[in-house]
Amino acid sequence: MRKEHKKMSLAARRRNVAGYLFIAPALIGMSLFYVFPMLFSFGTSFTDWNLMTTPSFVGGDNYMELMNDSVYLKSIRVTFYYTLLAVPLSNIYALLMAMLLNAKIRGRSVVRTIFYVPSIVPAVASAGVWMYIFNPYNGFLNQIFLQLGFDPKMWIYDSKQVIPCIVAMAIWAAGGTAVIYLAALQGVPSELHEAVAIDGGNGLHKFFYITVPMISPIIFYNLIMGVINSMQVFTQGYIMTDGGPNNGSLFYVLLLYRRAFEQTKMGTACAMAWILFFILGILTLLNFALSRKWVYYGG
Amino acid sequence: MKSHKKNRTIKRMFLWTAIILVCIISLFPFYWMVRSSLMTKTEIFGTPMRWVPEVPQWDNYSEALTRIPFMRYFWNSFLLVILNIVGKVLSSSLVAFGFSRIEFKGRNIWFALVIMTMMIPWSVLLIPQFMLWSQVGLYNTYFPLFFPAFFVDGFYVFLLRQFFATLPREYDEAAIIDGAGYFQIYSRILLPMCKPALMTVCVFTFMNTWNDFIGPMIYLKDTDKFTVSLGLQQFISQYTTEWHYMMAAATVAIMPMLVMFFFAQRYFIEGMNFAGVKG
């Protein structure tokens, strides 16, 4: 009996050692590249540090200063404005694309490829191409506007139009989300749609009473990921407009980048990062709280 | 009966109109990029605009490629892609194997923590990771751009763990009876069976590394170390009005991604489906 017990614990010990050996890369990686940097950044956010001198402790000054920094507050407004437009619109467009793909059509895989391609090309390259399309002097949009007799616009060079333009690019690249929606649509049992048809429902009834509730967990997932990604939008603002005009596209992370790498205000930049982390946390929790009202998780 | 059929034809027409419209929206920027990359400067600025170049200017490509050492950047990007693929495949498969095949103490907590790394915004890690790398003297090297790949990636660990879970446990038990250890079960038996899932890891790592701009921008200083994305950004900021060269450079930068995508799109779709299922 005792011998048996000892044998068991030996096997258990062997499993423990082997298990931790296998997950060792993750444990090392989490401490080196997540836990340690985050603690370091949290500490730095309470200091004044330009990388050259030794950091000096300033308490909550960095946070306080940000609250009165009009450029910073502007970047928050710009980023929220972008997120509020980009997330719903690109999700609606993606769902529309997924429904087109879900119809029984010929050449579906070709069409799916075409829908998907904009989302896989380098952001730098698509930013370059869209810069040219939006160019006020010889870009495609104004050339078309002139031929149709409309007034040309300044597009990304107008502080009011720049965010809708960048939102349009996000919508254009929503193919990845569409593929996720397609998988969800294919999981909706067709009997449910037939039942609605028997009860005399039309296409809209099917969509709102069957499709939306059945795929609501995926909608929820895409909204959460969409908010997290949109709140951290950077490349378009950096390459196409450099935050302008008149700080009209000064996204949060772009300002964070400038504070850290152009002005080397590491304390302020870290404080900004933590405030963003906090905002994203609140938004995600809010999403979860609201999800109880509309997300349907099977039987 | 007849009106029903007519109704369906109209529906089909609407459907295809919408599909073709979305296809045009998706493809137009690419068409415009290639069209402009083959034009002369006067054609670019000429009015009324032309839809196709009068004579394709293939020289634009050689000009764009010599203005900036693109061949060098291609090689750099490929090197980083390979290193990242090796790192992610090795680390994610080892970690996923541990989580799915070995019952050890604390397994569920650690797994939850690994998954939670996915939720941490990259912008929070950006600055402290940069400070870390420059403190150890590895700024302006490739280390920050590939070394972390050898440790942890929550998404791929989750994906591979789910895949391992579909493989029957009987394989492990048979191997244990034959005297194999955990590492043999991992390397000889399970790894060869999860090739499709590993391919998904490869194609997404390829895409993320090739398209990454912020990483190379922050960590690389010497121009001869630049990647394609970073080189293209330099090109865009230097030759702001020479759209024909810029579009040629963009076309070249996109090409490897497109070629890879057309050969491996099955794995892309599978990975995207997986992303949705877990939600």
Side-chain angles (χ1 to χ4, degrees):
Chain A
M1 193 65 195
R2 262 189 87 179
K3 221 176 176 180
E4 188 83 298
H5 180 78
K6 205 174 173 190
K7 225 174 161 181
M8 283 280 285
S9 73
L10 208 79
R13 233 162 76 195
R14 200 172 148 253
R15 277 205 304 273
N16 279 344
V17 172
Y20 279 96
L21 278 177
F22 271 95
I23 67 161
L27 299 184
I28 298 169
M30 281 196 296
S31 17
L32 268 182
F33 302 117
Y34 289 88
V35 178
F36 177 65
M38 284 176 78
L39 291 176
F40 190 52
S41 148
F42 191 63
T44 307
S45 77
F46 297 102
T47 65
D48 184 13
W49 190 25
N50 64 3
L51 285 179
M52 301 296 164
T53 56
T54 43
S56 58
F57 183 76
V58 294
D61 283 7
N62 291 328
Y63 291 92
M64 288 316 211
E65 273 165 31
L66 283 171
M67 291 305 127
N68 298 316
D69 180 344
S70 62
V71 177
Y72 174 71
L73 296 175
K74 168 96 186 180
S75 83
I76 292 189
R77 280 200 301 276
V78 165
T79 311
F80 267 100
Y81 178 37
Y82 171 77
T83 304
L84 276 174
L85 280 182
V87 174
L89 292 178
S90 54
N91 270 281
I92 291 170
Y93 186 64
L95 191 52
L96 180 95
M97 284 197 276
M99 286 170 68
L100 295 177
L101 288 171
N102 199 33
K104 290 179 189 69
I105 51 163
R106 275 210 209 160
R108 177 153 83 186
S109 65
V110 178
V111 176
R112 186 179 58 189
T113 304
I114 294 173
F115 287 6
Y116 193 35
V117 159
S119 68
I120 58 144
V121 296
V124 178
S126 51
V129 176
W130 281 99
M131 247 171 104
Y132 178 40
I133 291 174
F134 285 133
N135 190 277
Y137 306 105
N138 59 338
F140 172 75
L141 287 173
N142 271 358
Q143 302 255 21
I144 284 286
F145 269 40
L146 282 174
Q147 283 188 5
L148 296 176
F150 297 130
D151 285 335
K153 293 189 179 302
M154 289 305 283
W155 305 106
I156 55 171
Y157 300 98
D158 180 302
S159 59
K160 290 228 159 54
Q161 291 160 25
V162 59
I163 294 293
C165 286
I166 298 178
V167 168
M169 289 170 61
I171 295 171
W172 171 72
T177 315
V179 174
I180 297 178
Y181 277 131
L182 177 61
L185 289 177
Q186 286 169 341
V188 177
S190 56
E191 299 90 66
L192 293 177
H193 282 153
E194 283 153 20
V196 174
I198 289 167
D199 289 347
N202 60 22
L204 277 176
H205 290 124
K206 282 181 194 169
F207 180 72
F208 284 109
Y209 293 122
I210 304 294
T211 309
V212 171
M214 287 303 284
I215 66 166
S216 55
I218 304 295
I219 299 178
F220 177 56
Y221 167 80
N222 281 331
L223 288 181
I224 290 204
M225 297 315 280
V227 167
I228 292 177
N229 289 329
S230 302
M231 290 293 291
Q232 298 184 85
V233 60
F234 172 83
T235 310
Q236 290 85 337
Y238 181 80
I239 291 178
M240 298 173 70
T241 55
D242 197 19
N246 196 17
N247 289 341
S249 59
L250 185 66
F251 294 119
Y252 196 105
V253 179
L254 180 57
L255 184 66
L256 184 149
Y257 167 84
R258 283 188 185 166
R259 289 279 148 87
F261 297 100
E262 285 169 12
Q263 302 161 356
T264 53
K265 289 182 172 172
M266 291 305 178
T268 313
C270 286
M272 280 183 70
W274 277 94
I275 295 174
L276 181 62
F277 194 22
F278 184 73
I279 294 175
L280 286 175
I282 296 276
L283 288 178
T284 308
L285 286 179
L286 201 72
N287 252 325
F288 268 99
L290 289 174
S291 77
R292 284 176 201 187
K293 296 226 188 294
W294 64 276
V295 176
Y296 170 75
Y297 289 102
Chain B
M1 199 65 205
K2 213 175 169 189
S3 86
H4 185 70
K5 208 174 168 190
K6 201 175 154 193
N7 222 330
R8 256 184 63 183
T9 323
I10 292 172
K11 260 188 183 165
R12 288 265 115 179
M13 264 173 59
F14 266 115
L15 181 70
W16 275 103
T17 315
I19 289 172
I20 290 166
L21 199 70
V22 178
C23 283
I24 291 173
I25 294 171
S26 296
L27 292 180
F28 177 78
F30 296 107
Y31 154 71
W32 202 245
M33 172 182 76
V34 175
R35 162 245 182 224
S36 317
S37 76
L38 295 171
M39 284 186 156
T40 63
K41 199 169 180 174
T42 26
E43 266 179 309
I44 291 250
F45 283 93
T47 40
M49 67 173 173
R50 303 181 63 96
W51 291 89
V52 281
E54 194 161 18
V55 184
Q57 303 292 313
W58 298 104
D59 288 351
N60 287 350
Y61 281 84
S62 51
E63 176 64 28
L65 293 183
T66 45
R67 283 202 180 185
I68 248 178
F70 254 107
M71 285 302 129
R72 170 98 218 167
Y73 298 163
F74 264 83
W75 166 244
N76 294 343
S77 279
F78 270 118
L79 182 71
L80 280 173
V81 164
I82 304 273
L83 287 169
N84 272 287
I85 285 179
V86 172
K88 296 261 169 175
V89 165
L90 270 181
S91 66
S92 309
S93 63
L94 278 169
V95 173
F97 178 86
F99 279 132
S100 69
R101 289 312 225 235
I102 307 173
E103 273 149 43
F104 58 93
K105 242 183 163 176
R107 167 166 94 155
N108 294 336
I109 302 162
W110 287 118
F111 183 66
L113 284 172
V114 168
I115 297 308
M116 267 170 61
T117 59
M118 275 195 284
M119 300 297 283
I120 295 175
W122 59 267
S123 56
V124 174
L125 301 166
L126 182 77
I127 302 164
Q129 285 187 353
F130 173 81
M131 295 195 277
L132 188 90
W133 286 110
S134 41
Q135 289 301 310
V136 293
L138 290 172
Y139 170 70
N140 197 24
T141 69
Y142 285 155
F143 271 91
L145 301 174
F146 80 84
F147 197 62
F150 283 81
F151 294 91
V152 63
D153 188 300
F155 181 70
Y156 298 144
V157 167
F158 191 66
L159 182 135
L160 290 177
R161 194 193 81 137
Q162 297 300 91
F163 196 86
F164 278 136
T166 64
L167 304 173
R169 288 248 175 190
E170 280 78 50
Y171 291 113
D172 305 31
E173 282 151 20
I176 288 173
I177 290 166
D178 289 346
Y182 285 121
F183 192 76
Q184 267 113 354
I185 299 174
Y186 158 79
S187 63
R188 302 262 174 82
I189 299 169
L190 292 194
L191 211 52
M193 283 196 287
C194 67
K195 268 184 195 144
L198 292 178
M199 277 304 288
T200 302
V201 174
C202 291
V203 294
F204 275 100
T205 307
F206 186 117
M207 178 174 84
N208 292 336
T209 312
W210 189 268
N211 294 353
D212 184 22
F213 164 65
I214 299 164
M217 176 185 67
I218 282 173
Y219 289 110
L220 302 176
K221 193 178 70 179
D222 299 343
T223 46
D224 64 329
K225 288 181 181 144
F226 280 10
T227 62
V228 170
S229 272
L230 189 52
L232 183 63
Q233 184 264 326
Q234 294 285 306
F235 200 103
I236 291 173
S237 61
Q238 275 170 39
Y239 305 103
T240 38
T241 55
E242 296 185 277
W243 297 106
H244 48 319
Y245 295 143
M246 201 198 285
M247 291 303 112
T251 308
V252 175
I254 285 177
M255 234 16 116
M257 215 26 248
L258 286 186
V259 170
M260 201 274 290
F261 177 68
F262 282 112
F263 284 108
Q265 57 165 308
R266 181 161 86 86
Y267 302 107
F268 272 101
I269 304 294
E270 275 167 22
M272 293 311 281
N273 288 350
F274 177 79
V277 168
K278 83 176 182 195

